[in-house]
Amino acid sequence: MDPWIGKALVLVGIVVTVAIRVPFDSKSNKVRVVDNRKGTREIILLALMSLGVFILPVVSVATSWLSFADYPLHPVALVAGALCLVANFWLFYRSHADLGTNWSMTLEVRENHQLVSNGVYQKIRHPMYAAIYLYALAQAFLLPNWIAGPASAIAFTFMFGLRMGPEERMMIDRFGEAYRSYVSRTKRLIPGVW
Ligand code: SAH
């Protein structure tokens, strides 16, 4: 079927994601950072994410540079991608709303940082990362291109794999026993599973 429907949904995904994030970003940026752990690793991971989530999808939709890697869009992939996208919108919004001004784009602790363990943080510790995985799946289903389609999933697997440990250590440094106990009663990404 016409790949443009999938490509258009990917662009909608990018716009909605930015629209959800921007208001939370401007609110939390008003709160002072007291512990910043944004090292070289974080800078490389954030650049890799920009490539996977934004640059490669836009290049594949707006130019013919990656058209050698195109393949036909399957209707089942379109439906699966649309469902993942809608689930991502909900979870991405809820995780920002529950974290409030404790949210940061990178590894940071803010002044009066509170440990959030309610809402979508009740059963899993990384609902925002779960939302990003849903987005990556949506992109892989909706963008019928062997390079741009899986780009977010690959980039985010690096990001999640290399960031989760340092992030949880930073939370233990800040909240001690309270975070350890939170770890003991929650899973990482999938409620009840892992
Ligand atoms: N890993 C979480 C949060 C991602 S945003 C998720 O996927 O939902 C990253 C920032 O959130 C980190 O810099 C840290 O300061 C903050 N953070 C992570 N877990 C938190 C929690 N349970 N309570 C408060 N802040 C948290």
Side-chain angles (χ1 to χ4, degrees):
M1 65 187 296
D2 192 341
W4 276 103
I5 306 168
K7 291 180 179 182
L9 282 178
V10 168
L11 292 184
V12 168
I14 292 174
V15 171
V16 173
T17 298
V18 172
I20 291 173
R21 178 153 275 183
V22 164
F24 290 104
D25 191 37
S26 63
K27 258 187 237 158
S28 63
N29 275 338
K30 292 194 181 90
V31 184
R32 208 163 63 89
V33 171
V34 292
D35 182 357
N36 182 339
R37 302 194 183 183
K38 184 180 178 185
T40 314
R41 186 194 54 224
E42 271 291 297
I43 292 167
I44 293 170
L45 289 175
L46 289 169
L48 195 63
M49 281 301 285
S50 313
L51 189 69
V53 173
F54 184 70
I55 298 169
L56 286 175
V58 169
V59 165
S60 130
V61 171
T63 75
S64 56
W65 299 346
L66 296 175
S67 59
F68 66 91
D70 282 348
Y71 60 89
L73 177 64
H74 194 283
V76 174
L78 178 67
V79 173
L83 291 175
C84 289
L85 199 59
V86 172
N88 153 73
F89 291 157
W90 177 79
L91 192 54
F92 197 61
Y93 174 77
R94 282 307 329 156
S95 49
H96 278 86
D98 288 341
L99 266 192
T101 54
N102 302 298
W103 175 75
S104 282
M105 170 86 85
T106 182
L107 295 184
E108 290 173 342
V109 172
R110 295 186 184 275
E111 204 164 49
N112 300 318
H113 203 112
Q114 303 294 313
L115 174 59
V116 177
S117 56
N118 60 322
V120 291
Y121 285 82
Q122 204 175 340
K123 293 202 165 72
I124 51 172
R125 302 195 286 285
H126 302 290
M128 196 176 289
Y129 298 160
I132 296 171
Y133 261 127
L134 283 168
Y135 184 86
L137 271 181
Q139 182 178 320
F141 280 130
L142 294 170
L143 203 53
N145 180 283
W146 291 114
I147 295 169
S152 282
I154 294 168
F156 194 62
T157 296
F158 277 101
M159 177 139 206
F160 185 71
L162 293 172
R163 188 195 254 192
M164 195 192 62
E167 181 174 322
E168 295 201 340
R169 274 194 291 284
M170 183 178 79
M171 292 286 99
I172 287 171
D173 291 347
R174 172 70 177 81
F175 297 107
E177 210 32 60
Y179 193 79
R180 286 186 207 279
S181 141
Y182 174 57
V183 169
S184 72
R185 56 180 199 273
T186 50
K187 299 287 183 187
R188 295 174 185 90
L189 275 187
I190 307 168
V193 180
W194 184 76

